[in-house]
Amino acid sequence: DQQVKQNSPSLSVQEGRISILNCDYTNSMFDYFLWYKKYPAEGPTFLISISSIKDKNEDGRFTVFLNKSAKHLSLHIVPSQPGDSAVYFCAASASNYQLIWGAGTKLIIKP
Amino acid sequence: GAVVSQHPSWVICKSGTSVKIECRSLDFQATTMFWYRQFPKQSLMLMATSNEGSKATYEQGVEKDKFLINHASLTLSTLTVTSAHPEDSSFYICSAPGQGGSGYTFGSGTRLTVV
């Protein structure tokens, strides 16, 4: 049973436009959500997180939105840059430090 | 900031041999270390949780006799893949909770190829 789902395996976006990556979860006990960026053969790089008491968190070009009623979160990257091309993972935690990961979405930024 | 140093970054070994992967926490003490593996184009899967001073906790389906985890000190956790087979070829990553901007610090990963 996948508790964290990223239904889009890949996404292609024009440079300069907005990239929107989506993530759905099923466990209502999750209270902390994170987005990571990952290149092949490297460890994940933390991008941004949000706790369940918030519905939005912004850091530079990255904004995460959380809709608790829909059990949905999204990562917005604007403007998208070529260096943003990577696999993006959504992860969730239920206060026990164990992260449950989505399957990832490969983001391709076209010049 | 907090850093987890993971070595080796890549290793090729023959079937039947054992491989040890080390994760060291630099400038902080890691009482817990999570070990993940990632197959190509798939998500990170938690294999086990190591705790300093006690036995590791393995996730369902992970063979504890095959993937030996030792948390020798507050700064060192190791994963030993014993009698490796080609199907063990994967990308292994460790992570220490409670540090870093996200509350988790990841090692740089180890690419294991068993031939």
Side-chain angles (χ1 to χ4, degrees):
Chain A
D1 176 34
Q2 274 188 292
Q3 296 187 64
V4 177
K5 298 179 185 179
Q6 291 177 259
N7 292 318
S8 299
S10 66
L11 175 67
S12 186
V13 174
Q14 201 74 35
E15 180 180 358
R17 306 293 288 269
I18 183 171
S19 294
I20 300 176
L21 298 119
N22 293 303
C23 179
D24 297 293
Y25 62 96
T26 57
N27 189 343
S28 58
M29 298 301 291
F30 288 145
D31 58 7
Y32 188 51
F33 304 88
L34 309 92
W35 283 95
Y36 285 88
K37 176 181 179 179
K38 188 180 181 301
Y39 295 111
E42 292 185 14
T45 301
F46 170 69
L47 286 174
I48 194 167
S49 63
I50 189 167
S51 97
S52 59
I53 62 173
K54 294 186 172 183
D55 54 20
K56 177 183 175 181
N57 189 24
E58 189 173 353
D59 184 3
R61 296 187 298 116
F62 302 94
T63 303
V64 57
F65 295 92
L66 175 63
N67 183 334
K68 288 186 288 294
S69 61
K71 293 191 176 66
H72 176 84
L73 66 154
S74 61
L75 173 68
H76 292 210
I77 305 173
V78 56
S80 300
Q81 299 173 355
D84 295 330
S85 295
V87 177
Y88 289 77
F89 286 97
C90 164
S93 171
S95 303
N96 62 357
Y97 279 129
Q98 285 196 8
L99 287 177
I100 308 299
W101 296 78
T105 297
K106 183 175 183 179
L107 177 63
I108 301 165
I109 305 301
K110 299 180 293 185
Chain B
V3 173
V4 171
S5 177
Q6 182 171 349
H7 295 279
S9 56
W10 61 272
V11 58
I12 301 174
C13 70
K14 291 184 177 181
S15 282
T17 61
S18 295
V19 173
K20 180 185 281 189
I21 301 170
E22 291 188 350
C23 278
R24 292 181 183 273
S25 58
L26 306 181
D27 300 325
F28 73 98
Q29 294 181 333
T31 55
T32 298
M33 192 74 74
F34 296 118
W35 287 93
Y36 296 89
R37 68 187 295 181
Q38 182 190 25
F39 292 104
K41 298 183 181 179
Q42 293 190 29
S43 186
L44 281 75
M45 299 299 296
L46 180 65
M47 297 175 64
T49 303
S50 73
N51 298 288
E52 191 271 337
S54 63
K55 290 184 178 180
T57 304
Y58 289 81
E59 297 300 304
Q60 191 173 9
V62 177
E63 299 175 59
K64 59 181 67 176
D65 294 331
K66 181 169 186 59
F67 298 99
L68 299 179
I69 289 176
N70 185 10
H71 204 120
S73 71
L74 289 172
T75 58
L76 176 63
S77 177
T78 60
L79 166 67
T80 301
V81 183
T82 63
S83 186
H85 288 97
E87 56 265 31
D88 298 325
S89 297
S90 187
F91 189 62
Y92 295 86
I93 308 173
C94 60
S95 171
Q99 302 289 331
S102 68
Y104 302 83
T105 301
F106 285 86
S108 54
T110 298
R111 169 71 65 191
L112 171 63
T113 302
V114 184
V115 297

